[in-house]
């Protein structure tokens, strides 16, 4: 009983809005009245629904609406709102043909949305990978710049080493010539002094370029800068100390150009005997 | 644009299908609940008595409901056909496309039921869902338009930085070659004054005794060694005496009339010039002839012969003469 009373008001509420808002409902009521007048003949009622002039107009409207989606659909999609309204009207009129067309149109819109969503993801992915590629290229370029600077500095240093190493034999020649020549007369001394001036100029030029001399006599033997050609006993130096420089060694700033050729002390005679 | 999008539609599966597939099912369940209400309404109607005028109005409502039920039955009969059509469509199209027609078909079927039941709330909900599909489509289109602009910008940046990279590489290679010559040249230039002093010493020092000659020769041999080292590094002398004056290689400090050389020909070298490859390390300082040059045809041949035989000796003789003048 309680359920029955609750259903009653709901049913009446449902009927009122539809009857107030839709003309087709009025037509339905007319049909119902007609049926009521002739309850014994239900079939004529259906026939009368199709025959009145009022029914012909809705058919024309439906046909016209049917054409619009087809034409518009070839170029673009009709508004969803119009499709929904058209579907509603066609359904209430029982127009199956239009219903099918509208259904296909709505389905096409949904497919189109899916396609666009895929394209959106595709472009987003491409942009992301593009950004990554740009960052990578930028990093590569930066690394290449730094590497180039290092290579340039190293190349410059290598060239300097190469040129200076080529000129070191001049120093050797001067040293050798100085030892061999012993000026005796005043004129000879003058000639020798002239060439010593040139030698001094050569040494100063090398020094200006960063060339230094490897320390030898009196220093502990260091295999990284010294090259021992003999070991001899010495009363003057302890064992392991450089006692004589055979050929001068040079370094260019931090790099060794040429090791010094030296003789190393084995210590005094007594120590040598004991060892 | 639209054509391309549609072509893509045929190829690309709709990724949003799984999400939208769930909602229609939920709505179907709701619709099933709403279908029971009319039955209860029918049971309620027999209670009033048919003789009163108001009650006769109730009869009209009953007929209206009956009409709705007949329409529903018609729709129910059509539903299986629609589903069969959907299935056949599914067989023809790709698997991932199966759900799309069923989503829309199911939604529209729910819409029909809502219309039959005069369920405006449900109908509005379904209409809202359908409208949201269009809104989402338009929203995505706008986003794609914006992203296309960003994508173009992105590609341009990549092209530009790639070009920068290539240009930098090429420039680096060229600079490396130039730098080698530059560094070498600068270093060698530092040592040229030493060479000058050797040359000056050779010219100025006069030996008289064997002892003096021995000392001088031993040091001059170092000069020869120096010159050989420079040659091995690629250094070349700038040619002077007997050659036409070239401002790219020579530096003229004097012009003098000469019956030995034509006008514009170099007749004496005061300081050596050097070049390293294509690079001029230092121009030669020279004296240029102001003409008129040799007039006696007989003298031409001896001059040529002398030059070809011993050009250095000729220079030495000239230089010695000059120095002798200074000595005196």
């Amino acid at each position: 009983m309680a359920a029955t009373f609750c259903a009653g008001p709901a049913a009446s509420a449902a009927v009122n809005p539809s009857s107030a808002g839709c003309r087709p409902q009025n037509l339905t009521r007319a049909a119902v009245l007609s049926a009521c007048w002739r309850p014994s003949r239900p079939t004529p009622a259906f026939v009368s629904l199709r025959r009145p002039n009022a029914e012909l107009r809705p058919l024309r409207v439906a046909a016209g609406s049917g054409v619009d989606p087809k034409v518009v659909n070839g170029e673009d999609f009709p508004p969803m709102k119009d499709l929904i309204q058209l579907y509603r009207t066609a359904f209430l009129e029982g127009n199956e043909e239009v219903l099918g067309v509208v259904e296909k149109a709505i389905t096409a819109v949904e497919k189109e949305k899916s396609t666009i969503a895929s394209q959106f993801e595709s472009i987003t992915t491409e942009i992301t990978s593009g950004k990554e590629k740009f960052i990578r290229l930028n990093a590569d370029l930066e690394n290449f710049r730094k590497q180039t600077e290092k290579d340039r500095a190293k190349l410059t240093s290598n060239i300097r080493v190469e040129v200076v190493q080529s000129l070191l034999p001049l120093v050797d020649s001067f040293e050798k010539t100085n030892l061999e020549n012993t000026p005796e007369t005043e004129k000879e001394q003058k000639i020798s002094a002239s060439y010593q001036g040139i030698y001094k100029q050569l040494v100063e030029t090398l020094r200006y370029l960063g060339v230094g001399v490897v320390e030898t006599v009196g220093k502990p033997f260091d295999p990284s800068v010294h090259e021992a050609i003999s070991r001899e006993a010495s009363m003057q130096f302890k064992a392991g100390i450089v006692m004589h420089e055979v050929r001068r060694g040079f370094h260019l700033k931090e790099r060794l150009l040429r090791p010094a050729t030296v003789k190393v002390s084995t210590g005094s005679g007594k120590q040598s005997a004991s060892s | 644009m639209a054509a391309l999008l549609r072509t893509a539609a045929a190829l690309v599966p709709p990724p949003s299908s799984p999400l939208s597939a769930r909602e229609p099912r939920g709505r179907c369940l709701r619709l099933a609940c709403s279908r029971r209400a009319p039955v209860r309404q029918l049971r309620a109607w027999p209670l009033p008595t048919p003789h009163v005028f108001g009650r006769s109005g109730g009869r009209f409502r009953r007929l209206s409901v009956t009409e709705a039920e007949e329409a529903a039955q018609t729709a129910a009969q059509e539903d299986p056909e629609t589903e069969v059509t959907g299935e056949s469509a599914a067989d023809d199209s790709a698997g991932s496309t199966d759900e799309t027609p069923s989503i829309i078909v199911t939604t529209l079927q729910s819409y029909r039921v809502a219309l039959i039941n005069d369920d405006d709330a449900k109908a509005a909900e379904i209409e809202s869902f359908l409208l949201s599909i269009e809104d989402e489509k338009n929203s995505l289109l706008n986003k794609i338009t914006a992203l296309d602009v960003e994508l173009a910008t992105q590609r341009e940046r990549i092209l530009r930085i790639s070009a920068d990279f290539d240009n930098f590489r090429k420039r680096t290679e060229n600079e490396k070659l130039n730098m080698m010559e530059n560094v070498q040249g600068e270093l060698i230039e530092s040592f040229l004054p030493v060479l000058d002093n050797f040359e000056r010493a050779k010219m100025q020092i006069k030996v008289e005794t064997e002892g003096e000659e021995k000392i001088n020769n031993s040091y001059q041999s170092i000069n020869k060694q120096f010159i050989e080292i420079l040659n091995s590094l690629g250094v070349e002398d700038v040619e002077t005496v007997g050659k036409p004056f070239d401002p790219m290689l020579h530096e003229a400090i004097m012009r003098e009339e000469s019956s030995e050389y034509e006008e514009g020909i170099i007749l004496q070298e005061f300081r050596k010039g050097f070049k390293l490859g294509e690079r001029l390390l230092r121009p030669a300082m020279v004296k240029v002839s102001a003409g008129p040059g040799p007039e006696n045809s007989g003298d031409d041949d001896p001059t040529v012969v002398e030059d070809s035989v011993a050009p250095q000796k000729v220079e030495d003789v000239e230089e010695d003469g000059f120095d002798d003048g200074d000595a005196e």
Side-chain angles (χ1 to χ4, degrees):
Chain A
M1 290 298 293
T4 302
F5 284 109
C6 290
S12 62
V15 170
N16 287 335
S18 61
S19 62
C22 301
R23 292 180 179 180
Q25 291 295 333
N26 294 333
L27 295 176
T28 305
R29 288 184 175 182
V32 170
L33 291 174
S34 175
C36 189
W37 296 338
R38 303 177 182 178
S40 62
R41 299 179 179 179
T43 304
F46 286 108
V47 172
S48 66
L49 284 175
R50 294 180 181 178
R51 289 180 178 177
N53 292 332
E55 295 298 334
L56 291 177
R57 294 180 179 178
L59 288 176
R60 292 181 179 178
V61 171
S65 299
V67 173
D68 289 342
K70 293 181 179 179
V71 173
V72 177
N73 202 21
E75 299 177 354
D76 201 349
F77 297 100
M80 181 63 75
K81 190 173 183 180
D82 293 351
L83 287 176
I84 294 174
Q85 187 64 32
L86 187 60
Y87 188 86
R88 189 189 189 102
T89 303
F91 176 71
L92 293 178
E93 294 176 355
N95 192 333
E96 293 297 333
E97 182 179 354
V98 173
L99 284 177
V101 171
V102 174
E103 183 174 305
K104 289 182 180 178
I106 294 177
T107 302
V109 170
E110 202 281 335
K111 285 187 177 180
E112 189 70 11
K113 189 209 75 173
S114 299
T115 300
I116 294 175
S118 297
Q119 291 183 1
F120 177 79
E121 290 185 5
S122 175
I123 293 179
T124 303
T125 301
E126 190 171 351
I127 287 179
T128 301
S129 67
K131 287 182 177 178
E132 291 175 356
K133 184 176 182 181
F134 178 82
I135 292 174
R136 198 178 312 114
L137 272 176
N138 201 36
D140 285 351
L141 181 54
E142 205 56 36
N143 289 338
F144 188 79
R145 284 187 207 274
K146 294 177 181 175
Q147 188 63 35
T148 298
E149 283 303 317
K150 291 181 180 178
D151 290 347
R152 186 191 305 259
K154 188 173 182 180
L155 182 60
T156 300
S157 177
N158 287 348
I159 294 173
R160 287 174 174 273
V161 167
E162 186 178 325
V163 171
V164 172
Q165 276 182 342
S166 301
L167 297 170
L168 292 181
L170 293 181
V171 179
D172 295 336
S173 297
F174 265 108
E175 294 291 327
K176 178 182 176 184
T177 304
N178 291 344
L179 289 177
E180 289 177 354
N181 288 286
T182 307
E184 296 171 357
T185 66
E186 183 176 350
K187 187 72 180 293
E188 290 179 358
Q189 289 177 0
K190 183 178 179 182
I191 293 176
S192 180
S194 296
Y195 285 105
Q196 291 309 308
I198 298 178
Y199 178 47
K200 184 178 179 182
Q201 182 188 24
L202 175 64
V203 170
E204 286 179 353
T205 301
L206 289 170
R207 187 170 296 151
Y208 168 80
L209 293 175
V211 177
V213 177
V214 173
E215 294 180 336
T216 53
V217 178
K219 299 293 180 179
F221 175 75
D222 180 356
S224 64
V225 296
H226 298 136
E227 185 177 308
I229 60 171
S230 71
R231 292 170 60 91
E232 294 177 1
S234 170
M235 297 298 296
Q236 184 177 356
F237 299 101
K238 295 182 178 179
I241 304 297
V242 175
M243 57 180 287
H244 181 63
E245 177 181 279
V246 177
R247 189 184 73 165
R248 186 166 298 181
F250 299 94
H251 55 80
L252 177 58
K253 296 180 179 177
E254 304 303 325
R255 294 181 60 171
L256 179 70
L257 289 177
R258 186 177 78 179
T261 304
V262 298
K263 294 180 179 178
V264 183
S265 168
T266 58
S268 61
K270 294 182 178 180
Q271 295 181 0
S272 174
S274 64
S275 64
Chain B
M1 188 62 183
L4 291 176
L5 293 178
R6 290 174 183 175
T7 304
L11 300 176
V12 180
S16 62
S17 299
L19 296 178
S20 59
R22 296 178 181 177
E23 295 181 355
R25 295 177 181 176
R27 293 175 179 175
C28 290
L29 294 178
R30 295 177 183 177
L31 292 175
C33 294
S34 62
R35 288 182 179 179
R36 297 176 182 177
V39 176
R40 295 179 179 179
Q41 296 177 7
L42 290 176
R43 292 178 180 178
W45 290 117
L47 296 179
T49 57
H51 299 291
V52 180
F53 177 75
R55 293 177 179 175
S56 64
R59 289 182 179 178
F60 293 154
R61 293 181 180 179
R62 289 184 180 179
L63 292 175
S64 173
V65 171
T66 304
E67 183 70 12
E69 285 184 347
E70 291 179 357
Q73 290 177 359
T74 304
Q77 292 177 358
E78 293 174 353
D79 285 346
E81 296 176 358
T82 305
E83 291 179 356
V84 170
T85 304
E87 290 177 359
S88 62
D91 293 339
D92 294 338
S93 62
S96 59
T97 311
D98 292 350
E99 295 180 352
T100 302
S102 64
I103 294 172
I104 297 299
V105 170
T106 303
T107 302
L108 290 177
Q109 288 175 1
S110 301
Y111 188 56
R112 293 187 185 191
V113 174
L115 290 178
I116 291 171
N117 296 330
D118 287 333
D119 190 346
D120 288 342
K122 188 64 178 178
E125 182 181 345
I126 294 173
E127 289 175 4
S128 177
F129 168 73
L130 293 174
L131 287 171
S132 73
I133 292 179
E134 187 184 45
D135 291 341
E136 187 175 348
K137 187 193 76 167
N138 294 336
S139 173
L140 286 174
L141 274 176
N142 292 335
K143 288 184 178 179
I144 284 180
T145 302
L147 287 185
D148 278 340
V149 174
E150 186 176 349
L151 188 60
T153 302
Q154 191 80 268
R155 285 174 175 164
E156 190 179 355
R157 291 173 75 207
I158 291 177
L159 280 179
R160 190 174 296 124
I161 194 171
S162 293
D164 285 350
F165 212 144
D166 287 343
N167 290 338
F168 186 79
R169 273 206 185 92
K170 294 175 182 175
R171 190 168 63 252
T172 299
E173 285 300 319
N174 291 336
E175 287 179 354
K176 181 179 290 185
L177 294 178
N178 290 335
M179 183 181 65
M180 292 183 68
E181 286 189 357
N182 288 345
V183 172
Q184 222 173 13
E186 288 172 8
L187 275 177
I188 293 172
E189 282 182 18
S190 303
F191 290 96
L192 294 182
V194 175
L195 199 64
D196 290 337
N197 285 337
F198 266 118
E199 294 293 325
R200 197 169 299 125
K202 183 199 291 185
M203 289 187 292
Q204 292 179 358
I205 294 177
K206 294 295 169 286
V207 299
E208 295 173 356
T209 65
E210 283 189 13
E212 295 175 5
E213 182 175 2
K214 179 186 176 185
I215 293 177
N216 191 54
N217 287 345
S218 62
Y219 282 107
Q220 280 300 321
S221 66
I222 300 178
N223 184 30
K224 292 180 182 178
Q225 181 186 14
F226 192 7
I227 293 174
E228 286 177 1
I229 292 174
L230 292 179
N231 288 339
S232 69
L233 291 173
V235 179
E236 298 172 344
D237 291 356
V238 171
E239 295 178 333
T240 54
V241 178
K243 299 293 180 180
F245 173 77
D246 180 355
M248 300 296 292
L249 297 172
H250 306 125
E251 184 177 323
I253 61 174
M254 286 180 65
R255 283 175 62 91
E256 189 177 81
E257 292 183 357
S258 170
S259 60
E260 189 175 357
Y261 295 102
E262 296 286 348
E263 182 181 3
I265 304 297
I266 298 171
L267 57 84
Q268 184 175 353
E269 175 184 280
F270 292 115
R271 188 190 71 171
K272 277 180 176 288
F274 300 96
K275 55 183 179 179
L276 176 64
E278 298 301 323
R279 171 181 166 131
L280 177 70
L281 293 180
R282 187 177 75 177
M285 294 176 64
V286 298
K287 178 194 291 181
V288 183
S289 168
E295 295 177 355
N296 190 333
S297 61
D299 291 341
D300 288 345
D301 293 341
T303 304
V304 171
V305 171
E306 289 180 0
D307 287 346
S308 63
V309 169
Q312 291 183 358
K313 289 185 177 180
V314 171
E315 294 180 13
D316 291 347
V317 170
E318 290 180 351
E319 293 171 355
D320 289 349
F322 179 78
D323 291 335
D324 289 340
D326 285 349
E328 294 174 357

